[in-house]
Amino acid sequence: MDRNIPNVAQLLLAYLKLEGVSRVFGVPGGGLIEMLEEFNLQRDDIQYVVCRQETGAAYMADGYYRASGKLGAVMVTTGPGATNALTGVMNAEAGGSAMLALTGEIAEAYAGMGYLQEGIDGKLDVNAIYHASCASSAILTSGVNAQRLIEAALRAAMDVPRHAAHLSLPVDVTQAKAVKLGKPGDPPVAVTMPDSPARYRSPPPVAPMSKVTDTLEILARATRPLIMLGNGCREALRDPATLAALTRFVEARGIPVITTADGKGVFPEDHPLSLRMFGIANCIWPYWWMTQTAPDYDALLVIGSGLGELATNKWNPMLRPKGPVIQLDANQRIIARDFPVDLGIVGEAGAFINALAKLSGEALPDPAEVAARKAKVAQIKADHSPFADDAQFMSDADPVQPAALCRVMQDVLPDDAIIMLDAGNCVGWGAHYLVAKPGFEVHSSLDMGPMGFASGAVVGAKIARPGAACVAFTGDGAFMMQGAEISTAQRNNVGAIWVVLQDDDLAMVSQGMEHFMHGDPAAWKSMFSLGSPDLALYAKGLGADSYAVSCPKDFDAALREALNKAEADKRPQVIVCKIDRTVEPPYYNPLYAPTKAEARKLIGKETRNV
């Protein structure tokens, strides 16, 4: 066979480069021998970033996608390498991040013989595990089917909404020539590489214009409509023209906008018509728009949200208007899954928004109605703080209030900062108290909610956007799960920043147990104590500049220094903040959520302690 025909490993890297991928994250091993050889030979074009653990590598690939919009790629070795990466891949699938997971596999010649770390044909069926966890999973079994399966995986990953896809790479197949079959009797010939992704994947679905017209008519009839945006809008609204079209539309009609927590910042939260966030740790402003009478809240347009538990305050009935619900999503299985709808639309968010804005210009509403709605939004904002506790937000106390950390971050960080919120109480503080102004991105992982996400994702984000300030906002428990990736950042000259909330407690659990169950709060804290580790010393040992602070003034100084050093020295920065252990994030606002007594009744745990 022609020696100039590329092998499967070379073909795969060619497709990654065609998708604009410049970094692939992972942990190497023998099952990747041919792939590693190609990365070494092509290191000037595409780099393999060696991470400290496979789950962290997948989180980095997720952060890379979130910060750049380019496909995130993770490549790990056989057996435990594949299973370790699984959580991060599942998280990408749940959160709508485009990811390609590549897992090594033993040579097919040894399948079923008990080879070390055998997966596909052994007890551990890696293909089945990934098939159950992401949009698609396939095994490359020969050089003949490699191109077809690679393109299928990329179609799945880059579909709208975005997905995670998986390919299993047996060692001998990656070494095989990438060919296609000719006529019967003719020898195989080399595959032909496409010159553009458009050759093997198509644009997302576009909503029918009739549905756009119906949407506009419903909103025009409403007296107090509302628009809710989810994370499914994030990529569309990154386009300045699409965001401008949406802004013109809501301003012309006086329609306020809310987002879900995972969609935080897709619409600027400092805009006069933004009511900020509904769902977990929500702002109070949406409550007043939804519940005030005369006139009734009477229409809801949802774009790019599946309306799951954390997006809706456990499907709080106040979200249902006294009028129509319209839901647009590119995934038709999401529509009406959680709330009955009056108009369901399958389509891509950006095209729909632009079509709606264009059509709206042809039929403008009554100026008096628009003025009345804008006045109502302004009145809500004048009468009610967006924050659950202004005193905590403005506090200068020692130990520091987590809300005050958000105040300092808002003051100090540049306008184009990228914040990765981890799972735990940190997401409640960050989602509620940070204000996502234009260019200021806040990302969370609220569909799967894995602890440690931010510690990996912040490294991938900084690699994708080296000119932006990239910050992980994380608790001490989550930080210790993936904090070793500080070493990855140090090795690759990545100036990411970690802000670690240290209370020596898995506080979301201890506070939740006290809220819903019974018993002495101190006993719960003792049960979930972390043992008072020296996290600043730990970070320093991994190659970071580290800081230990306990008040807003010291945090302000440390954050400014960390920003400067991150850029000047290309070195990771870790700020460990001793926080007030007694405070809770604004998860349990009685206007949205049940009181402790009500919550305990709901789960049958009413006791004499209530």
Side-chain angles (χ1 to χ4, degrees):
M1 187 176 293
D2 187 347
R3 294 177 62 86
N4 294 321
I5 296 176
N7 64 24
V8 170
Q10 292 164 339
L11 180 71
L12 185 48
L13 262 64
Y15 271 99
L16 290 176
K17 290 187 288 186
L18 190 63
E19 291 285 353
V21 176
S22 62
R23 301 290 193 281
V24 175
F25 304 89
V27 179
L32 298 170
I33 185 169
E34 191 69 32
M35 296 298 300
L36 296 171
E37 170 71 359
E38 280 307 315
F39 271 104
N40 182 48
L41 293 173
Q42 300 188 43
R43 59 187 178 275
D44 292 338
D45 297 325
I46 185 167
Q47 182 183 345
Y48 185 54
V49 179
V50 178
C51 306
R52 301 302 170 259
Q53 199 262 359
E54 292 91 351
T55 311
Y59 292 153
M60 286 187 206
D62 194 342
Y64 180 91
Y65 164 75
R66 288 172 183 249
S68 67
K70 295 179 181 178
L71 176 72
V74 57
M75 187 180 78
V76 298
T77 194
T78 51
T83 56
N84 282 346
L86 184 66
T87 297
V89 177
M90 291 172 63
N91 186 59
E93 171 67 22
S97 293
M99 183 183 294
L100 181 62
L102 306 170
T103 63
E105 187 51 70
I106 68 164
E108 290 208 312
Y110 299 109
M113 296 177 64
Y115 202 96
L116 175 66
Q117 297 182 340
E118 181 178 2
I120 295 301
D121 293 301
K123 187 71 174 177
L124 175 66
D125 191 340
V126 171
N127 187 45
I129 292 171
Y130 273 86
H131 184 74
S133 306
C134 58
S136 75
S137 180
I139 312 163
L140 302 190
T141 57
S142 76
V144 176
N145 68 17
Q147 183 174 42
R148 183 170 66 253
L149 295 178
I150 291 168
E151 290 184 352
L154 293 172
R155 276 194 294 275
M158 297 303 291
D159 195 8
V160 176
R162 306 301 193 199
H163 292 284
H166 166 252
L167 291 174
S168 179
L169 310 175
V171 169
D172 50 351
V173 176
T174 58
Q175 297 168 344
K177 295 296 185 180
V179 296
K180 58 185 178 181
L181 298 178
K183 296 177 182 179
D186 290 347
V189 297
V191 298
T192 303
M193 269 295 296
D195 57 7
S196 165
R199 295 285 190 178
Y200 55 84
R201 54 183 176 87
S202 62
V206 176
M209 277 305 298
S210 61
K211 296 291 185 77
V212 179
T213 300
D214 292 343
T215 299
L216 188 60
E217 290 176 352
I218 290 171
L219 294 177
R221 290 195 299 268
T223 304
R224 188 182 287 182
L226 180 65
I227 295 175
M228 183 179 196
L229 306 175
N231 190 48
C233 296
R234 190 175 293 275
E235 192 162 337
L237 292 176
R238 260 194 178 146
D239 172 39
T242 302
L243 178 58
L246 176 63
T247 304
R248 287 194 303 271
F249 176 78
V250 299
E251 289 175 348
R253 295 182 170 272
I255 303 177
V257 177
I258 60 174
T259 74
T260 61
D262 63 356
K264 183 179 176 69
V266 298
F267 186 80
E269 291 188 315
D270 61 346
H271 189 279
L273 285 169
S274 171
L275 294 176
R276 298 195 184 173
M277 203 185 72
F278 185 79
I280 185 173
N282 34 222
C283 178
I284 198 61
W285 288 342
Y287 169 85
W288 296 107
W289 183 263
M290 294 174 183
T291 61
Q292 283 186 337
T293 56
D296 289 328
Y297 155 53
D298 58 355
L300 174 65
L301 169 59
V302 180
I303 307 176
S305 172
L307 299 177
E309 176 197 0
L310 300 185
T312 61
N313 271 314
K314 293 184 180 292
W315 305 281
N316 193 312
M318 77 172 64
L319 187 60
R320 175 85 194 188
K322 295 181 179 179
V325 173
I326 311 162
Q327 186 178 8
L328 174 130
D329 204 279
N331 181 0
Q332 63 88 17
R333 290 173 296 176
I334 289 294
I335 296 172
R337 182 190 66 179
D338 299 279
F339 281 87
V341 302
D342 298 275
L343 178 62
I345 310 170
V346 179
E348 187 269 329
F352 173 80
I353 290 168
N354 282 295
L356 189 65
K358 184 177 180 180
L359 187 64
S360 174
E362 301 172 5
L364 293 176
D366 179 358
E369 288 188 6
V370 173
R373 285 196 286 264
K374 289 182 176 179
K376 180 61 68 175
V377 173
Q379 179 188 341
I380 289 171
K381 293 186 175 187
D383 292 346
H384 305 282
S385 168
F387 299 139
D389 194 318
D390 287 302
Q392 289 183 15
F393 185 70
M394 296 306 298
S395 171
D396 289 321
D398 184 340
V400 66
Q401 296 289 326
L405 293 176
C406 294
R407 182 193 81 225
V408 174
M409 289 170 64
Q410 201 79 57
D411 290 342
V412 173
L413 292 175
D415 293 341
D416 64 347
I418 299 173
I419 312 297
M420 296 292 176
L421 301 180
D422 220 308
N425 274 354
C426 51
V427 78
W429 303 118
H432 184 82
Y433 285 104
L434 289 171
V435 181
K437 298 177 181 180
F440 191 97
E441 295 186 20
V442 180
H443 296 267
S444 56
S445 57
L446 288 171
D447 288 279
M448 187 61 63
M451 292 174 67
F453 159 76
S455 286
V458 72
V459 181
K462 185 65 175 176
I463 288 173
R465 297 263 299 276
C470 296
V471 180
F473 194 62
T474 180
D476 43 9
F479 175 69
M480 284 190 283
M481 286 189 175
Q482 295 295 333
E485 300 304 346
I486 293 168
S487 173
T488 306
Q490 186 275 334
R491 170 65 179 81
N492 292 278
N493 302 312
V494 177
I497 300 172
W498 287 256
V499 175
V500 184
L501 283 62
Q502 186 171 34
D503 56 6
D504 192 39
D505 182 22
L506 296 177
M508 193 176 195
V509 180
S510 63
Q511 291 173 356
M513 293 300 292
E514 195 275 328
H515 186 88
F516 289 104
M517 306 297 281
H518 65 277
D520 180 5
W524 290 121
K525 288 187 179 296
S526 175
M527 183 175 181
F528 301 114
S529 172
L530 300 177
S532 302
D534 188 335
L535 298 183
L537 184 61
Y538 167 70
K540 184 177 181 181
L542 291 170
D545 294 321
S546 64
Y547 315 77
V549 303
S550 61
C551 68
K553 180 180 178 182
D554 291 346
F555 177 59
D556 183 295
L559 184 56
R560 293 178 190 277
E561 184 175 350
L563 282 167
N564 291 333
K565 285 188 172 182
E567 300 310 311
D569 301 340
K570 310 299 181 187
R571 182 179 173 90
Q573 308 288 311
V574 177
I575 308 174
V576 180
C577 309
K578 183 179 180 182
I579 64 169
D580 182 348
R581 297 182 61 185
T582 66
V583 294
E584 295 181 354
Y587 293 141
Y588 308 116
N589 188 318
L591 295 178
Y592 285 119
T595 63
K596 290 185 180 182
E598 291 168 338
R600 290 168 181 171
K601 287 180 181 179
L602 287 172
I603 62 172
K605 290 292 182 180
E606 190 172 14
T607 74
R608 65 177 181 272
N609 299 80
V610 175

mmCIF file with all atom_site columns, all heavy atoms in Angstrom, residues 209 212 216 245 248-249 351-363:
data_model
loop_
_atom_site.group_PDB
_atom_site.id
_atom_site.type_symbol
_atom_site.label_atom_id
_atom_site.label_alt_id
_atom_site.label_comp_id
_atom_site.label_asym_id
_atom_site.label_entity_id
_atom_site.label_seq_id
_atom_site.pdbx_PDB_ins_code
_atom_site.Cartn_x
_atom_site.Cartn_y
_atom_site.Cartn_z
_atom_site.occupancy
_atom_site.B_iso_or_equiv
_atom_site.pdbx_formal_charge
_atom_site.auth_seq_id
_atom_site.auth_comp_id
_atom_site.auth_asym_id
_atom_site.auth_atom_id
_atom_site.pdbx_PDB_model_num
ATOM 1   N N   . MET A 1 209 ? -40.837 30.553 9.850  1.00 0.00 ? 209 MET A N   1
ATOM 2   C CA  . MET A 1 209 ? -41.275 31.941 9.999  1.00 0.00 ? 209 MET A CA  1
ATOM 3   C C   . MET A 1 209 ? -42.690 32.035 10.538 1.00 0.00 ? 209 MET A C   1
ATOM 4   O O   . MET A 1 209 ? -43.041 32.992 11.232 1.00 0.00 ? 209 MET A O   1
ATOM 5   C CB  . MET A 1 209 ? -41.167 32.680 8.666  1.00 0.00 ? 209 MET A CB  1
ATOM 6   C CG  . MET A 1 209 ? -39.776 33.210 8.369  1.00 0.00 ? 209 MET A CG  1
ATOM 7   S SD  . MET A 1 209 ? -39.100 34.291 9.677  1.00 0.00 ? 209 MET A SD  1
ATOM 8   C CE  . MET A 1 209 ? -40.285 35.639 9.669  1.00 0.00 ? 209 MET A CE  1
ATOM 9   N N   . VAL A 1 212 ? -42.357 32.176 14.176 1.00 0.00 ? 212 VAL A N   1
ATOM 10  C CA  . VAL A 1 212 ? -41.843 33.486 14.588 1.00 0.00 ? 212 VAL A CA  1
ATOM 11  C C   . VAL A 1 212 ? -42.986 34.494 14.610 1.00 0.00 ? 212 VAL A C   1
ATOM 12  O O   . VAL A 1 212 ? -43.132 35.285 15.559 1.00 0.00 ? 212 VAL A O   1
ATOM 13  C CB  . VAL A 1 212 ? -40.722 33.950 13.641 1.00 0.00 ? 212 VAL A CB  1
ATOM 14  C CG1 . VAL A 1 212 ? -40.209 35.334 14.065 1.00 0.00 ? 212 VAL A CG1 1
ATOM 15  C CG2 . VAL A 1 212 ? -39.574 32.948 13.627 1.00 0.00 ? 212 VAL A CG2 1
ATOM 16  N N   . LEU A 1 216 ? -44.539 36.597 17.890 1.00 0.00 ? 216 LEU A N   1
ATOM 17  C CA  . LEU A 1 216 ? -44.694 38.048 17.951 1.00 0.00 ? 216 LEU A CA  1
ATOM 18  C C   . LEU A 1 216 ? -46.135 38.435 18.266 1.00 0.00 ? 216 LEU A C   1
ATOM 19  O O   . LEU A 1 216 ? -46.385 39.354 19.058 1.00 0.00 ? 216 LEU A O   1
ATOM 20  C CB  . LEU A 1 216 ? -44.245 38.669 16.631 1.00 0.00 ? 216 LEU A CB  1
ATOM 21  C CG  . LEU A 1 216 ? -44.179 40.197 16.602 1.00 0.00 ? 216 LEU A CG  1
ATOM 22  C CD1 . LEU A 1 216 ? -43.195 40.707 17.656 1.00 0.00 ? 216 LEU A CD1 1
ATOM 23  C CD2 . LEU A 1 216 ? -43.754 40.675 15.217 1.00 0.00 ? 216 LEU A CD2 1
ATOM 24  N N   . ALA A 1 245 ? -29.639 42.719 18.265 1.00 0.00 ? 245 ALA A N   1
ATOM 25  C CA  . ALA A 1 245 ? -30.997 42.522 17.756 1.00 0.00 ? 245 ALA A CA  1
ATOM 26  C C   . ALA A 1 245 ? -31.963 42.222 18.899 1.00 0.00 ? 245 ALA A C   1
ATOM 27  O O   . ALA A 1 245 ? -33.078 42.761 18.948 1.00 0.00 ? 245 ALA A O   1
ATOM 28  C CB  . ALA A 1 245 ? -31.007 41.394 16.736 1.00 0.00 ? 245 ALA A CB  1
ATOM 29  N N   . ARG A 1 248 ? -32.531 45.480 20.919 1.00 0.00 ? 248 ARG A N   1
ATOM 30  C CA  . ARG A 1 248 ? -33.469 46.381 20.233 1.00 0.00 ? 248 ARG A CA  1
ATOM 31  C C   . ARG A 1 248 ? -34.910 45.891 20.379 1.00 0.00 ? 248 ARG A C   1
ATOM 32  O O   . ARG A 1 248 ? -35.825 46.685 20.585 1.00 0.00 ? 248 ARG A O   1
ATOM 33  C CB  . ARG A 1 248 ? -33.109 46.489 18.749 1.00 0.00 ? 248 ARG A CB  1
ATOM 34  C CG  . ARG A 1 248 ? -31.854 47.298 18.453 1.00 0.00 ? 248 ARG A CG  1
ATOM 35  C CD  . ARG A 1 248 ? -31.765 47.649 16.977 1.00 0.00 ? 248 ARG A CD  1
ATOM 36  N NE  . ARG A 1 248 ? -31.795 46.458 16.120 1.00 0.00 ? 248 ARG A NE  1
ATOM 37  C CZ  . ARG A 1 248 ? -30.722 45.777 15.749 1.00 0.00 ? 248 ARG A CZ  1
ATOM 38  N NH1 . ARG A 1 248 ? -29.508 46.158 16.170 1.00 0.00 ? 248 ARG A NH1 1
ATOM 39  N NH2 . ARG A 1 248 ? -30.823 44.720 14.956 1.00 0.00 ? 248 ARG A NH2 1
ATOM 40  N N   . PHE A 1 249 ? -35.068 44.585 20.280 1.00 0.00 ? 249 PHE A N   1
ATOM 41  C CA  . PHE A 1 249 ? -36.414 44.014 20.366 1.00 0.00 ? 249 PHE A CA  1
ATOM 42  C C   . PHE A 1 249 ? -37.048 44.282 21.728 1.00 0.00 ? 249 PHE A C   1
ATOM 43  O O   . PHE A 1 249 ? -38.183 44.754 21.824 1.00 0.00 ? 249 PHE A O   1
ATOM 44  C CB  . PHE A 1 249 ? -36.352 42.510 20.097 1.00 0.00 ? 249 PHE A CB  1
ATOM 45  C CG  . PHE A 1 249 ? -37.672 41.811 20.251 1.00 0.00 ? 249 PHE A CG  1
ATOM 46  C CD1 . PHE A 1 249 ? -38.622 41.887 19.261 1.00 0.00 ? 249 PHE A CD1 1
ATOM 47  C CD2 . PHE A 1 249 ? -37.954 41.070 21.395 1.00 0.00 ? 249 PHE A CD2 1
ATOM 48  C CE1 . PHE A 1 249 ? -39.851 41.246 19.399 1.00 0.00 ? 249 PHE A CE1 1
ATOM 49  C CE2 . PHE A 1 249 ? -39.164 40.420 21.545 1.00 0.00 ? 249 PHE A CE2 1
ATOM 50  C CZ  . PHE A 1 249 ? -40.115 40.517 20.545 1.00 0.00 ? 249 PHE A CZ  1
ATOM 51  N N   . ALA A 1 351 ? -30.817 32.386 15.081 1.00 0.00 ? 351 ALA A N   1
ATOM 52  C CA  . ALA A 1 351 ? -31.644 32.659 13.909 1.00 0.00 ? 351 ALA A CA  1
ATOM 53  C C   . ALA A 1 351 ? -33.036 33.100 14.317 1.00 0.00 ? 351 ALA A C   1
ATOM 54  O O   . ALA A 1 351 ? -33.626 34.010 13.707 1.00 0.00 ? 351 ALA A O   1
ATOM 55  C CB  . ALA A 1 351 ? -31.714 31.420 13.026 1.00 0.00 ? 351 ALA A CB  1
ATOM 56  N N   . PHE A 1 352 ? -33.582 32.470 15.360 1.00 0.00 ? 352 PHE A N   1
ATOM 57  C CA  . PHE A 1 352 ? -34.913 32.840 15.843 1.00 0.00 ? 352 PHE A CA  1
ATOM 58  C C   . PHE A 1 352 ? -34.937 34.272 16.363 1.00 0.00 ? 352 PHE A C   1
ATOM 59  O O   . PHE A 1 352 ? -35.837 35.059 16.043 1.00 0.00 ? 352 PHE A O   1
ATOM 60  C CB  . PHE A 1 352 ? -35.352 31.872 16.941 1.00 0.00 ? 352 PHE A CB  1
ATOM 61  C CG  . PHE A 1 352 ? -36.638 32.253 17.622 1.00 0.00 ? 352 PHE A CG  1
ATOM 62  C CD1 . PHE A 1 352 ? -37.857 31.978 17.018 1.00 0.00 ? 352 PHE A CD1 1
ATOM 63  C CD2 . PHE A 1 352 ? -36.639 32.891 18.856 1.00 0.00 ? 352 PHE A CD2 1
ATOM 64  C CE1 . PHE A 1 352 ? -39.055 32.329 17.640 1.00 0.00 ? 352 PHE A CE1 1
ATOM 65  C CE2 . PHE A 1 352 ? -37.811 33.237 19.484 1.00 0.00 ? 352 PHE A CE2 1
ATOM 66  C CZ  . PHE A 1 352 ? -39.028 32.959 18.878 1.00 0.00 ? 352 PHE A CZ  1
ATOM 67  N N   . ILE A 1 353 ? -33.947 34.636 17.170 1.00 0.00 ? 353 ILE A N   1
ATOM 68  C CA  . ILE A 1 353 ? -33.889 35.988 17.733 1.00 0.00 ? 353 ILE A CA  1
ATOM 69  C C   . ILE A 1 353 ? -33.785 37.031 16.627 1.00 0.00 ? 353 ILE A C   1
ATOM 70  O O   . ILE A 1 353 ? -34.481 38.056 16.648 1.00 0.00 ? 353 ILE A O   1
ATOM 71  C CB  . ILE A 1 353 ? -32.715 36.098 18.726 1.00 0.00 ? 353 ILE A CB  1
ATOM 72  C CG1 . ILE A 1 353 ? -33.019 35.291 19.985 1.00 0.00 ? 353 ILE A CG1 1
ATOM 73  C CG2 . ILE A 1 353 ? -32.411 37.552 19.059 1.00 0.00 ? 353 ILE A CG2 1
ATOM 74  C CD1 . ILE A 1 353 ? -31.824 35.095 20.897 1.00 0.00 ? 353 ILE A CD1 1
ATOM 75  N N   . ASN A 1 354 ? -32.921 36.777 15.665 1.00 0.00 ? 354 ASN A N   1
ATOM 76  C CA  . ASN A 1 354 ? -32.769 37.738 14.567 1.00 0.00 ? 354 ASN A CA  1
ATOM 77  C C   . ASN A 1 354 ? -34.038 37.857 13.734 1.00 0.00 ? 354 ASN A C   1
ATOM 78  O O   . ASN A 1 354 ? -34.426 38.959 13.327 1.00 0.00 ? 354 ASN A O   1
ATOM 79  C CB  . ASN A 1 354 ? -31.576 37.339 13.691 1.00 0.00 ? 354 ASN A CB  1
ATOM 80  C CG  . ASN A 1 354 ? -30.248 37.718 14.316 1.00 0.00 ? 354 ASN A CG  1
ATOM 81  O OD1 . ASN A 1 354 ? -29.933 38.890 14.491 1.00 0.00 ? 354 ASN A OD1 1
ATOM 82  N ND2 . ASN A 1 354 ? -29.451 36.718 14.670 1.00 0.00 ? 354 ASN A ND2 1
ATOM 83  N N   . ALA A 1 355 ? -34.704 36.732 13.476 1.00 0.00 ? 355 ALA A N   1
ATOM 84  C CA  . ALA A 1 355 ? -35.953 36.775 12.715 1.00 0.00 ? 355 ALA A CA  1
ATOM 85  C C   . ALA A 1 355 ? -37.037 37.513 13.485 1.00 0.00 ? 355 ALA A C   1
ATOM 86  O O   . ALA A 1 355 ? -37.801 38.304 12.918 1.00 0.00 ? 355 ALA A O   1
ATOM 87  C CB  . ALA A 1 355 ? -36.406 35.354 12.386 1.00 0.00 ? 355 ALA A CB  1
ATOM 88  N N   . LEU A 1 356 ? -37.114 37.272 14.789 1.00 0.00 ? 356 LEU A N   1
ATOM 89  C CA  . LEU A 1 356 ? -38.107 37.938 15.623 1.00 0.00 ? 356 LEU A CA  1
ATOM 90  C C   . LEU A 1 356 ? -37.878 39.445 15.644 1.00 0.00 ? 356 LEU A C   1
ATOM 91  O O   . LEU A 1 356 ? -38.817 40.243 15.527 1.00 0.00 ? 356 LEU A O   1
ATOM 92  C CB  . LEU A 1 356 ? -38.046 37.367 17.040 1.00 0.00 ? 356 LEU A CB  1
ATOM 93  C CG  . LEU A 1 356 ? -39.148 37.775 18.017 1.00 0.00 ? 356 LEU A CG  1
ATOM 94  C CD1 . LEU A 1 356 ? -40.493 37.246 17.557 1.00 0.00 ? 356 LEU A CD1 1
ATOM 95  C CD2 . LEU A 1 356 ? -38.828 37.249 19.418 1.00 0.00 ? 356 LEU A CD2 1
ATOM 96  N N   . ALA A 1 357 ? -36.622 39.852 15.780 1.00 0.00 ? 357 ALA A N   1
ATOM 97  C CA  . ALA A 1 357 ? -36.302 41.282 15.820 1.00 0.00 ? 357 ALA A CA  1
ATOM 98  C C   . ALA A 1 357 ? -36.614 41.955 14.489 1.00 0.00 ? 357 ALA A C   1
ATOM 99  O O   . ALA A 1 357 ? -37.128 43.085 14.448 1.00 0.00 ? 357 ALA A O   1
ATOM 100 C CB  . ALA A 1 357 ? -34.834 41.466 16.176 1.00 0.00 ? 357 ALA A CB  1
ATOM 101 N N   . LYS A 1 358 ? -36.313 41.287 13.396 1.00 0.00 ? 358 LYS A N   1
ATOM 102 C CA  . LYS A 1 358 ? -36.585 41.865 12.074 1.00 0.00 ? 358 LYS A CA  1
ATOM 103 C C   . LYS A 1 358 ? -38.078 42.021 11.842 1.00 0.00 ? 358 LYS A C   1
ATOM 104 O O   . LYS A 1 358 ? -38.543 43.072 11.379 1.00 0.00 ? 358 LYS A O   1
ATOM 105 C CB  . LYS A 1 358 ? -35.967 40.981 10.989 1.00 0.00 ? 358 LYS A CB  1
ATOM 106 C CG  . LYS A 1 358 ? -36.126 41.551 9.584  1.00 0.00 ? 358 LYS A CG  1
ATOM 107 C CD  . LYS A 1 358 ? -35.426 40.668 8.548  1.00 0.00 ? 358 LYS A CD  1
ATOM 108 C CE  . LYS A 1 358 ? -35.588 41.254 7.153  1.00 0.00 ? 358 LYS A CE  1
ATOM 109 N NZ  . LYS A 1 358 ? -34.908 40.402 6.132  1.00 0.00 ? 358 LYS A NZ  1
ATOM 110 N N   . LEU A 1 359 ? -38.843 40.987 12.189 1.00 0.00 ? 359 LEU A N   1
ATOM 111 C CA  . LEU A 1 359 ? -40.289 41.051 12.004 1.00 0.00 ? 359 LEU A CA  1
ATOM 112 C C   . LEU A 1 359 ? -40.922 42.093 12.925 1.00 0.00 ? 359 LEU A C   1
ATOM 113 O O   . LEU A 1 359 ? -41.884 42.762 12.544 1.00 0.00 ? 359 LEU A O   1
ATOM 114 C CB  . LEU A 1 359 ? -40.892 39.669 12.282 1.00 0.00 ? 359 LEU A CB  1
ATOM 115 C CG  . LEU A 1 359 ? -42.377 39.492 11.971 1.00 0.00 ? 359 LEU A CG  1
ATOM 116 C CD1 . LEU A 1 359 ? -42.637 39.661 10.478 1.00 0.00 ? 359 LEU A CD1 1
ATOM 117 C CD2 . LEU A 1 359 ? -42.845 38.107 12.437 1.00 0.00 ? 359 LEU A CD2 1
ATOM 118 N N   . SER A 1 360 ? -40.364 42.242 14.107 1.00 0.00 ? 360 SER A N   1
ATOM 119 C CA  . SER A 1 360 ? -40.920 43.183 15.075 1.00 0.00 ? 360 SER A CA  1
ATOM 120 C C   . SER A 1 360 ? -40.899 44.614 14.574 1.00 0.00 ? 360 SER A C   1
ATOM 121 O O   . SER A 1 360 ? -41.777 45.413 14.886 1.00 0.00 ? 360 SER A O   1
ATOM 122 C CB  . SER A 1 360 ? -40.139 43.088 16.389 1.00 0.00 ? 360 SER A CB  1
ATOM 123 O OG  . SER A 1 360 ? -40.558 44.062 17.306 1.00 0.00 ? 360 SER A OG  1
ATOM 124 N N   . GLY A 1 361 ? -39.863 44.949 13.795 1.00 0.00 ? 361 GLY A N   1
ATOM 125 C CA  . GLY A 1 361 ? -39.753 46.313 13.292 1.00 0.00 ? 361 GLY A CA  1
ATOM 126 C C   . GLY A 1 361 ? -40.878 46.722 12.380 1.00 0.00 ? 361 GLY A C   1
ATOM 127 O O   . GLY A 1 361 ? -41.087 47.917 12.115 1.00 0.00 ? 361 GLY A O   1
ATOM 128 N N   . GLU A 1 362 ? -41.638 45.733 11.895 1.00 0.00 ? 362 GLU A N   1
ATOM 129 C CA  . GLU A 1 362 ? -42.733 46.034 10.981 1.00 0.00 ? 362 GLU A CA  1
ATOM 130 C C   . GLU A 1 362 ? -44.045 46.281 11.709 1.00 0.00 ? 362 GLU A C   1
ATOM 131 O O   . GLU A 1 362 ? -45.032 46.683 11.087 1.00 0.00 ? 362 GLU A O   1
ATOM 132 C CB  . GLU A 1 362 ? -42.892 44.864 9.995  1.00 0.00 ? 362 GLU A CB  1
ATOM 133 C CG  . GLU A 1 362 ? -41.633 44.592 9.182  1.00 0.00 ? 362 GLU A CG  1
ATOM 134 C CD  . GLU A 1 362 ? -41.749 43.315 8.362  1.00 0.00 ? 362 GLU A CD  1
ATOM 135 O OE1 . GLU A 1 362 ? -42.847 42.710 8.367  1.00 0.00 ? 362 GLU A OE1 1
ATOM 136 O OE2 . GLU A 1 362 ? -40.747 42.926 7.725  1.00 0.00 ? 362 GLU A OE2 1
ATOM 137 N N   . ALA A 1 363 ? -44.102 45.995 13.010 1.00 0.00 ? 363 ALA A N   1
ATOM 138 C CA  . ALA A 1 363 ? -45.354 46.159 13.756 1.00 0.00 ? 363 ALA A CA  1
ATOM 139 C C   . ALA A 1 363 ? -45.030 46.570 15.185 1.00 0.00 ? 363 ALA A C   1
ATOM 140 O O   . ALA A 1 363 ? -45.035 45.753 16.100 1.00 0.00 ? 363 ALA A O   1
ATOM 141 C CB  . ALA A 1 363 ? -46.139 44.845 13.726 1.00 0.00 ? 363 ALA A CB  1
#
